[in-house]
Amino acid sequence: MRTLSTHPGSFVTVAVTGDISIMEIAAPCEIFGVSRTEIADPWYEFNVCTAREMAAFEDADTIIIPGLQGPVEKSPPPQLVNAVRQAYQTGTRIVSIGTGTFVLAEAGILDGRRATTHWMHSGTLAARYPAVKVESDVLYTDEDDILTAAGMAASVDLCLHIVQADYGSAVANALTRQLVMPPHRDGGHVQVIASPAAGSMDHVVSETQSWVIAHLDQPLTVSDMARRAGLSTRSLQRHLKASTGKTPLQWLLVQRVHKAQELLERTDYTMERIAAESGMSTAATLRRQFRQIAGTSPDGYRRAFRDRTGR
DNA sequence: AAAACTATCCGCCAGA
DNA sequence: CGTCTGGCGGATAGTT
């Protein structure tokens, strides 16, 4: 699990240089730039700065580099690359979206780390920066305070992931509801849905997922999910894996742990009760799954959350 | 902690 | 043809 270097109310800066893609800065602007005092207070300090104002980087706790338009062969602006390298060395969290990842790679801060970019360019990225572990089929990566999103749509997921890291699941979920967005997808989701005719099937599966998420307190089997979707278990397994990269049971367990995390954050329920409400049969089962998926014990998670939010 | 038990996963394949 | 489906069964994973 990543150690948090930022805090609620931290300073987020988007670096705008030349021809950025406007869509790629939409998610950060919407999520970090709009006051959310009804959800959490203080919210982020947010600003957008151009290449000429890169002194503003000094105040930033998080810097976001959106994709540059034009051919990726063009090398990124050196002063931006230097500014990013310097910022990272002084402990700033660095985020890239789409081809913005090339700036991070050029700065050398991705060497030996996982990163992703738009699938069309991942080959180029891997070839030009062999030391970078390019993950071509995930929505986003998060390693050592360096986060990379595959593209515009994934940037939404990544921004929510950041909110979750800074404020916890309960706040992130409240924000998701307010934005009227589908439930947050984690970084392991596949980027490209392989089958071209996946359209309607996709809908059936996501419907089922929403239903499951709303009924996590009940014990559910993969067959139950399949029945709900009107598919055989074999087909459900195939479709769910195509869209989430996980098997049905794995996906379900992740949802259960997420639910447990939310309860740990905002309630004082006992482990038994949290286990029951998140659909884990016993506290022992909860502990084991929680550790496997979240990397800590439920109790440790609760304490860490209270410590960093002072609640 | 380990064994016994059950559920799930996934390659394969015939059929639509 | 190519694509999708769902059943089968051995290997695995998860639970108790």
Side-chain angles (χ1 to χ4, degrees), chain A residues 40-68:
Chain A
D41 193 16
W43 195 239
Y44 296 89
E45 294 281 327
F46 178 79
N47 77 349
V48 175
C49 78
T50 66
R52 290 202 188 81
E53 313 164 323
M54 259 178 257
F57 275 21
E58 287 171 17
D59 297 330
D61 299 297
T62 302
I63 293 175
I64 300 177
I65 310 293
L68 305 170

Short mmCIF file of all heavy atoms in Angstrom, two decimals, chain A residues 40-68:
data_model
loop_
_atom_site.label_atom_id
_atom_site.label_comp_id
_atom_site.label_asym_id
_atom_site.label_seq_id
_atom_site.Cartn_x
_atom_site.Cartn_y
_atom_site.Cartn_z
N ALA A 40 -16.52 17.11 1.86
CA ALA A 40 -15.34 17.11 2.72
C ALA A 40 -14.77 18.53 2.77
O ALA A 40 -14.77 19.23 1.76
CB ALA A 40 -14.28 16.15 2.20
N ASP A 41 -14.30 18.92 3.94
CA ASP A 41 -13.78 20.26 4.10
C ASP A 41 -12.56 20.20 5.00
O ASP A 41 -12.66 19.66 6.10
CB ASP A 41 -14.87 21.14 4.72
CG ASP A 41 -14.53 22.62 4.64
OD1 ASP A 41 -13.62 22.97 3.87
OD2 ASP A 41 -15.16 23.41 5.36
N PRO A 42 -11.41 20.67 4.62
CA PRO A 42 -11.16 21.39 3.37
C PRO A 42 -11.04 20.45 2.17
O PRO A 42 -10.66 19.30 2.32
CB PRO A 42 -9.81 22.05 3.64
CG PRO A 42 -9.12 21.10 4.57
CD PRO A 42 -10.19 20.54 5.44
N TRP A 43 -11.37 20.97 1.01
CA TRP A 43 -11.17 20.23 -0.23
C TRP A 43 -9.81 20.62 -0.78
O TRP A 43 -8.99 21.21 -0.04
CB TRP A 43 -12.31 20.55 -1.22
CG TRP A 43 -12.42 19.59 -2.38
CD1 TRP A 43 -12.33 19.90 -3.70
CD2 TRP A 43 -12.65 18.18 -2.31
NE1 TRP A 43 -12.49 18.77 -4.46
CE2 TRP A 43 -12.68 17.70 -3.64
CE3 TRP A 43 -12.82 17.27 -1.27
CZ2 TRP A 43 -12.88 16.35 -3.95
CZ3 TRP A 43 -13.02 15.93 -1.58
CH2 TRP A 43 -13.05 15.48 -2.90
N TYR A 44 -9.53 20.27 -2.02
CA TYR A 44 -8.21 20.59 -2.58
C TYR A 44 -8.11 22.06 -2.96
O TYR A 44 -9.10 22.71 -3.29
CB TYR A 44 -7.97 19.76 -3.85
CG TYR A 44 -7.91 18.28 -3.61
CD1 TYR A 44 -9.06 17.50 -3.65
CD2 TYR A 44 -6.71 17.65 -3.36
CE1 TYR A 44 -9.01 16.12 -3.43
CE2 TYR A 44 -6.64 16.28 -3.14
CZ TYR A 44 -7.80 15.52 -3.18
OH TYR A 44 -7.73 14.18 -2.96
N GLU A 45 -6.89 22.57 -2.91
CA GLU A 45 -6.58 23.83 -3.56
C GLU A 45 -6.19 23.45 -4.97
O GLU A 45 -5.42 22.51 -5.17
CB GLU A 45 -5.38 24.51 -2.89
CG GLU A 45 -5.62 24.97 -1.48
CD GLU A 45 -6.39 26.28 -1.46
OE1 GLU A 45 -6.20 27.10 -2.38
OE2 GLU A 45 -7.18 26.47 -0.52
N PHE A 46 -6.70 24.17 -5.94
CA PHE A 46 -6.49 23.73 -7.31
C PHE A 46 -6.09 24.90 -8.20
O PHE A 46 -6.68 25.97 -8.11
CB PHE A 46 -7.79 23.11 -7.84
CG PHE A 46 -7.73 22.64 -9.26
CD1 PHE A 46 -7.13 21.44 -9.58
CD2 PHE A 46 -8.29 23.41 -10.28
CE1 PHE A 46 -7.09 20.99 -10.90
CE2 PHE A 46 -8.24 22.96 -11.60
CZ PHE A 46 -7.65 21.75 -11.90
N ASN A 47 -5.11 24.70 -9.04
CA ASN A 47 -4.87 25.72 -10.06
C ASN A 47 -4.28 25.10 -11.31
O ASN A 47 -3.82 23.96 -11.32
CB ASN A 47 -4.02 26.88 -9.53
CG ASN A 47 -2.57 26.52 -9.43
OD1 ASN A 47 -2.18 25.36 -9.56
ND2 ASN A 47 -1.74 27.52 -9.18
N VAL A 48 -4.35 25.89 -12.37
CA VAL A 48 -3.82 25.46 -13.67
C VAL A 48 -2.71 26.44 -14.00
O VAL A 48 -2.90 27.64 -13.91
CB VAL A 48 -4.92 25.54 -14.75
CG1 VAL A 48 -4.37 25.22 -16.12
CG2 VAL A 48 -6.07 24.59 -14.40
N CYS A 49 -1.54 25.92 -14.33
CA CYS A 49 -0.49 26.86 -14.67
C CYS A 49 0.14 26.53 -16.00
O CYS A 49 0.13 25.39 -16.45
CB CYS A 49 0.57 26.90 -13.57
SG CYS A 49 1.72 25.53 -13.61
N THR A 50 0.66 27.55 -16.66
CA THR A 50 1.29 27.36 -17.96
C THR A 50 2.80 27.20 -17.76
O THR A 50 3.32 27.39 -16.67
CB THR A 50 1.06 28.57 -18.87
OG1 THR A 50 1.74 29.69 -18.29
CG2 THR A 50 -0.42 28.87 -18.99
N ALA A 51 3.46 26.88 -18.86
CA ALA A 51 4.90 26.62 -18.80
C ALA A 51 5.65 27.81 -18.21
O ALA A 51 6.65 27.64 -17.50
CB ALA A 51 5.42 26.32 -20.19
N ARG A 52 5.18 28.99 -18.46
CA ARG A 52 5.91 30.19 -18.00
C ARG A 52 5.82 30.37 -16.49
O ARG A 52 6.62 31.07 -15.90
CB ARG A 52 5.35 31.44 -18.68
CG ARG A 52 5.69 31.49 -20.15
CD ARG A 52 5.61 32.90 -20.69
NE ARG A 52 5.75 32.91 -22.13
CZ ARG A 52 4.75 32.65 -22.95
NH1 ARG A 52 3.56 32.40 -22.48
NH2 ARG A 52 4.95 32.65 -24.25
N GLU A 53 4.79 29.75 -15.90
CA GLU A 53 4.58 29.98 -14.47
C GLU A 53 5.02 28.79 -13.64
O GLU A 53 4.45 28.51 -12.61
CB GLU A 53 3.10 30.22 -14.18
CG GLU A 53 2.44 31.20 -15.11
CD GLU A 53 0.92 31.12 -15.02
OE1 GLU A 53 0.37 30.02 -14.86
OE2 GLU A 53 0.30 32.18 -15.12
N MET A 54 5.98 28.08 -14.14
CA MET A 54 6.25 26.81 -13.46
C MET A 54 6.80 26.97 -12.06
O MET A 54 6.97 25.98 -11.33
CB MET A 54 7.13 25.92 -14.30
CG MET A 54 6.26 24.85 -14.98
SD MET A 54 7.19 23.81 -16.03
CE MET A 54 6.76 24.48 -17.60
N ALA A 55 7.03 28.19 -11.66
CA ALA A 55 7.38 28.43 -10.26
C ALA A 55 6.26 27.95 -9.36
O ALA A 55 6.48 27.55 -8.21
CB ALA A 55 7.63 29.92 -10.03
N ALA A 56 5.05 27.95 -9.91
CA ALA A 56 3.88 27.51 -9.13
C ALA A 56 4.02 26.05 -8.70
O ALA A 56 3.36 25.60 -7.77
CB ALA A 56 2.61 27.68 -9.95
N PHE A 57 4.91 25.34 -9.35
CA PHE A 57 5.14 23.94 -8.98
C PHE A 57 5.63 23.82 -7.54
O PHE A 57 5.39 22.84 -6.87
CB PHE A 57 6.20 23.32 -9.89
CG PHE A 57 5.63 22.78 -11.17
CD1 PHE A 57 4.39 23.23 -11.64
CD2 PHE A 57 6.32 21.82 -11.90
CE1 PHE A 57 3.87 22.73 -12.82
CE2 PHE A 57 5.79 21.32 -13.07
CZ PHE A 57 4.58 21.78 -13.55
N GLU A 58 6.29 24.85 -7.10
CA GLU A 58 6.88 24.78 -5.76
C GLU A 58 5.83 24.64 -4.67
O GLU A 58 6.08 24.05 -3.63
CB GLU A 58 7.74 26.02 -5.49
CG GLU A 58 9.04 25.99 -6.27
CD GLU A 58 9.78 27.30 -6.18
OE1 GLU A 58 9.45 28.11 -5.28
OE2 GLU A 58 10.68 27.53 -7.02
N ASP A 59 4.66 25.20 -4.93
CA ASP A 59 3.61 25.14 -3.91
C ASP A 59 2.81 23.85 -4.00
O ASP A 59 2.02 23.54 -3.12
CB ASP A 59 2.63 26.30 -4.09
CG ASP A 59 3.32 27.63 -3.90
OD1 ASP A 59 4.28 27.67 -3.12
OD2 ASP A 59 2.89 28.61 -4.54
N ALA A 60 2.97 23.12 -5.09
CA ALA A 60 2.08 22.00 -5.35
C ALA A 60 2.43 20.75 -4.54
O ALA A 60 3.60 20.44 -4.35
CB ALA A 60 2.09 21.66 -6.84
N ASP A 61 1.42 20.07 -4.05
CA ASP A 61 1.61 18.76 -3.44
C ASP A 61 1.43 17.67 -4.49
O ASP A 61 1.94 16.57 -4.37
CB ASP A 61 0.58 18.55 -2.33
CG ASP A 61 0.72 19.59 -1.24
OD1 ASP A 61 1.78 19.62 -0.60
OD2 ASP A 61 -0.22 20.38 -1.05
N THR A 62 0.63 18.02 -5.51
CA THR A 62 0.35 17.08 -6.60
C THR A 62 0.41 17.85 -7.91
O THR A 62 -0.19 18.92 -8.02
CB THR A 62 -1.06 16.47 -6.45
OG1 THR A 62 -1.15 15.82 -5.19
CG2 THR A 62 -1.33 15.48 -7.56
N ILE A 63 1.14 17.30 -8.87
CA ILE A 63 1.21 17.95 -10.18
C ILE A 63 0.63 17.00 -11.21
O ILE A 63 0.96 15.81 -11.23
CB ILE A 63 2.66 18.31 -10.56
CG1 ILE A 63 3.18 19.39 -9.62
CG2 ILE A 63 2.75 18.78 -12.01
CD1 ILE A 63 4.64 19.72 -9.84
N ILE A 64 -0.24 17.52 -12.06
CA ILE A 64 -0.86 16.68 -13.08
C ILE A 64 -0.37 17.11 -14.46
O ILE A 64 -0.42 18.29 -14.81
CB ILE A 64 -2.39 16.80 -13.01
CG1 ILE A 64 -2.88 16.35 -11.63
CG2 ILE A 64 -3.04 15.97 -14.12
CD1 ILE A 64 -4.38 16.49 -11.42
N ILE A 65 0.12 16.15 -15.21
CA ILE A 65 0.60 16.42 -16.57
C ILE A 65 -0.35 15.77 -17.57
O ILE A 65 -0.34 14.55 -17.72
CB ILE A 65 2.01 15.83 -16.79
CG1 ILE A 65 2.97 16.23 -15.66
CG2 ILE A 65 2.56 16.23 -18.15
CD1 ILE A 65 3.31 17.68 -15.61
N PRO A 66 -1.17 16.54 -18.23
CA PRO A 66 -2.08 15.95 -19.22
C PRO A 66 -1.33 15.65 -20.52
O PRO A 66 -0.19 16.07 -20.69
CB PRO A 66 -3.13 17.04 -19.43
CG PRO A 66 -2.45 18.31 -19.06
CD PRO A 66 -1.34 17.98 -18.10
N GLY A 67 -1.98 14.92 -21.39
CA GLY A 67 -1.35 14.54 -22.65
C GLY A 67 -1.10 15.73 -23.55
O GLY A 67 -1.83 16.71 -23.55
N LEU A 68 -0.02 15.63 -24.31
CA LEU A 68 0.27 16.66 -25.29
C LEU A 68 -0.31 16.21 -26.62
O LEU A 68 -0.21 15.03 -26.97
CB LEU A 68 1.79 16.84 -25.43
CG LEU A 68 2.52 17.13 -24.13
CD1 LEU A 68 4.03 17.04 -24.35
CD2 LEU A 68 2.12 18.49 -23.61
#
